Amino acid sequence: MKKLILISTVLLLAGCAATPEKLRQSEPDLLLESTNDSKQVADCIAEKWESLDYLIYSPVVNYRVKDSGYQITHYIDGELTYLADIKTTSVGSKVQVYTTSIELEFLEDKALSSVKLCSL
């Protein structure tokens, strides 16, 4: 019986974990357009997210080339916390960022600030 409860709990928690597709089902937390090309923006975001300093964690950042541009994911302690979709447009790029992170309003969200800087 204990084994069944443990398996059920693990399956329940796994179902709640954020995935890129689940995040995309909500509105983006940040939407920007840039005159910079999508590769330049994606490279910048990946570099800045990799260098973010958290108290006890180091972020894991993944970079994927997609047909329409790039996808950057940011994980902390194995949990997806940020997703950036950078799409190529005729005048540069369009950036959509989704997050599961809950930042306190009086604190600056360094990951989102990084995206804004990369889109200038």
Side-chain angles (χ1 to χ4, degrees):
M1 182 66 172
K2 287 181 183 179
K3 198 177 213 180
L4 180 59
I5 292 172
L6 178 62
I7 292 171
S8 298
T9 303
V10 169
L11 290 175
L12 178 65
L13 291 174
C16 295
T19 65
E21 286 309 312
K22 284 183 183 178
L23 284 179
R24 286 187 187 102
Q25 292 173 3
S26 63
E27 291 293 319
D29 294 284
L30 183 63
L31 179 60
L32 300 168
E33 292 189 16
S34 176
T35 55
N36 296 331
D37 70 57
S38 58
K39 181 172 180 5
Q40 181 181 2
V41 173
D43 289 346
C44 179
I45 292 170
E47 182 179 324
K48 289 195 179 298
W49 281 3
E50 286 172 339
S51 66
L52 289 175
D53 187 25
Y54 298 98
L55 290 176
I56 58 174
Y57 298 108
S58 294
V60 174
V61 176
N62 295 313
Y63 182 106
R64 288 185 59 204
V65 178
K66 306 210 41 155
D67 289 338
S68 60
Y70 300 86
Q71 172 187 291
I72 312 296
T73 52
H74 175 287
Y75 292 82
I76 296 178
D77 195 29
E79 296 292 325
L80 178 61
T81 49
Y82 294 94
L83 164 68
D85 285 326
I86 304 99
K87 298 185 192 266
T88 303
T89 66
S90 60
V91 294
S93 57
K94 178 180 175 182
V95 182
Q96 295 176 291
V97 181
Y98 305 87
T99 182
T100 61
S101 175
I102 300 173
E103 293 284 335
L104 300 176
E105 288 185 26
F106 60 89
L107 294 176
E108 176 186 14
D109 186 317
K110 293 177 185 176
L112 292 181
S113 295
S114 297
V115 174
K116 291 175 187 175
L117 286 173
C118 292
S119 298
L120 294 177

